[in-house]
Amino acid sequence: GLLFAIGIGSFLWHTIATPWAQNADVYPILLFINLFLLSFLYRIVCLPIIEGLLWFALFQAVNFATQTLLPADTLNGSIFYLPTCCALLLMTIYLFIINNNHARLYATAAGVFLLSLFFRTIDNTICHIFPIGSHFVWHLLNGVLLGTLMSALLLNVKALAVMNK
C-alpha cells in the first residue's frame, strides 16, 4: 500500500504541482524510509527495541544535520536523500559482514539508489543538451529500488522465520 501511495503521490506532484500534491509525494516516501529502517533494525538486525530506537534516533539526527547544515540545492536538491543512501550502504556492509544470504540484494539496491541519485543530480545540468532531462530515469530506477528493497526485506524476514521454527 505504501509503495502504491508513493507512486500516486509522485504522479500528483508531477502533474498538479500544488503544495498538497507535494505533501502527497513527500510523506509516503518519508514513511517508507523510516518504516523500512525500523523494520531492518528490528527484523533483520534483531536489535532490542530500545537499541533499535537509539539507532533510529541517530539516523534522524544525521538527517536533521544534513538538512540544516548543507544548502538545500546541494546535488540538485538530492541532499534530502543522502542520509538514506548512506544508511542503505551501511546496511549492505553490515549484511556482508555477517554473511547474510541476501546481502547482494541490498548491494544491488544501494547501487540502483546511487545511480538514481546520479540521474536526479545531473537533471538540470543536462537539460540544455537533452531537453527532457534525466528526472524520469530517477523515477524508473526508484521503482526498481523499492521493489528490490521490499524483496530483500521480505526474503530476510521469511528466512529468519524459518530459522526460528
Side-chain angles (χ1 to χ4, degrees):
L2 194 49
L3 297 181
F4 182 74
I6 289 171
I8 294 297
S10 180
F11 173 80
L12 290 170
W13 171 236
H14 286 80
T15 54
I16 300 172
T18 61
W20 70 264
Q22 183 179 25
N23 288 337
D25 181 39
V26 172
Y27 290 136
I29 294 168
L30 284 172
L31 191 57
F32 178 86
I33 291 168
N34 288 298
L35 289 176
F36 186 88
L37 177 58
L38 287 169
S39 291
F40 181 85
L41 293 170
Y42 181 71
R43 297 177 184 277
I44 309 306
V45 183
C46 300
L47 291 177
I49 290 174
I50 298 298
E51 193 174 334
L53 289 175
L54 288 173
W55 281 104
F56 182 73
L58 176 63
F59 174 74
Q60 299 306 327
V62 169
N63 261 327
F64 180 77
T66 302
Q67 303 304 314
T68 305
L69 300 175
L70 297 173
D73 63 346
T74 302
L75 301 175
N76 189 30
S78 298
I79 198 69
F80 170 80
Y81 296 101
L82 195 57
T84 301
C85 189
C86 291
L88 182 55
L89 289 168
L90 289 172
M91 289 178 206
T92 303
I93 291 167
Y94 170 79
L95 291 173
F96 275 111
I97 289 171
I98 66 166
N99 201 25
N100 182 282
N101 290 336
H102 304 104
R104 288 191 193 286
L105 269 175
Y106 282 84
T108 299
V112 169
F113 197 20
L114 287 169
L115 192 58
S116 72
L117 280 172
F118 169 77
F119 281 106
R120 187 179 196 282
T121 300
I122 67 166
D123 184 42
N124 287 342
T125 306
I126 68 165
C127 278
H128 70 284
I129 300 166
F130 190 60
I132 64 170
S134 60
H135 193 78
F136 72 97
V137 180
W138 152 261
H139 284 281
L140 293 173
L141 289 174
N142 279 339
V144 173
L145 168 67
L146 293 173
T148 304
L149 285 175
M150 287 307 300
S151 295
L153 183 65
L154 293 172
L155 286 170
N156 266 300
V157 169
K158 184 178 179 182
L160 286 171
V162 169
M163 286 177 21
N164 290 332
K165 281 188 175 182

